[in-house]
Amino acid sequence: MRYFNQNDMVTLLDDIERLITDQNKVGDTWREVLPTDLEKDPILLQRTEELYARYRVTAQEAILHMNEIIRQNQEMYLENSSVI
């Protein structure tokens, strides 16, 4: 994401990592993550939903941006293959 200057996505991914680490890492060990964690913790559910909503928008914007850069600079990203 940094390569394509997608700083919003980098920030979002850092926020997701921080949520996971804060929730599941205790000292040097990781606790088991269970599907019911979201059901039992309304704050975690809310934070996860907020991050997911941001992710959907940010990912779409990042994909469009990267596609445009690749289209404009195809020689840098795509191999020219010819079939004989």
Side-chain angles (χ1 to χ4, degrees), residues 44-58:
L44 176 62
L45 176 61
Q46 179 185 359
R47 289 179 65 196
T48 302
E49 288 174 340
E50 290 169 359
L51 288 171
Y52 181 64
R54 282 177 50 203
Y55 175 82
R56 289 183 58 150
V57 171
T58 306

Side-chain angles (χ1 to χ4, degrees), residues 33-46:
V33 178
L34 302 171
T36 57
D37 287 351
L38 293 175
E39 296 169 6
K40 293 178 182 176
D41 188 341
I43 294 171
L44 176 62
L45 176 61
Q46 179 185 359

Side-chain angles (χ1 to χ4, degrees), residues 8-19:
D8 289 342
M9 181 60 94
V10 170
T11 300
L12 175 58
L13 293 172
D14 287 341
D15 291 346
I16 292 169
E17 179 181 31
R18 195 170 13 269
L19 174 66

